[in-house]
Amino acid sequence: MTDAPQPMNEIEAAAHHAKRAAEGAADAMPEEAPKGWSNLSLAIGVGVGSAAIAAALLYANSGRGKKKGE
């Protein structure tokens, strides 16, 4: 039996590449996350923004569909 590496197919090659990239990225990551917005405050901001947009659309469409003669 030989110790020569077996040829890889495309999926195996992509998996090896992804693993090496993930290991390299893990080494480059800082130990402590930078201070900034927490996930909770971002979620609250998105929720409030969505509610504001929905309210604006409801208000804008509230006068439509009704004609004075009907």
Side-chain angles (χ1 to χ4, degrees), residues 4-21:
Q6 296 294 323
M8 286 190 257
N9 64 18
E10 299 157 351
I11 297 173
E12 286 177 318
H16 284 284
H17 178 69
K19 184 177 180 182
R20 286 192 304 268

Side-chain angles (χ1 to χ4, degrees), residues 53-65:
I53 291 172
L57 289 174
L58 287 172
Y59 178 74
N61 290 329
S62 65
R64 293 184 183 214

Side-chain angles (χ1 to χ4, degrees), residues 21-57:
E23 289 171 350
D27 293 339
M29 294 285 290
E31 294 296 323
E32 187 174 316
K35 300 289 181 188
W37 292 92
S38 68
N39 289 339
L40 178 61
S41 60
L42 288 176
I44 291 172
V46 168
V48 169
S50 298
I53 291 172
L57 289 174

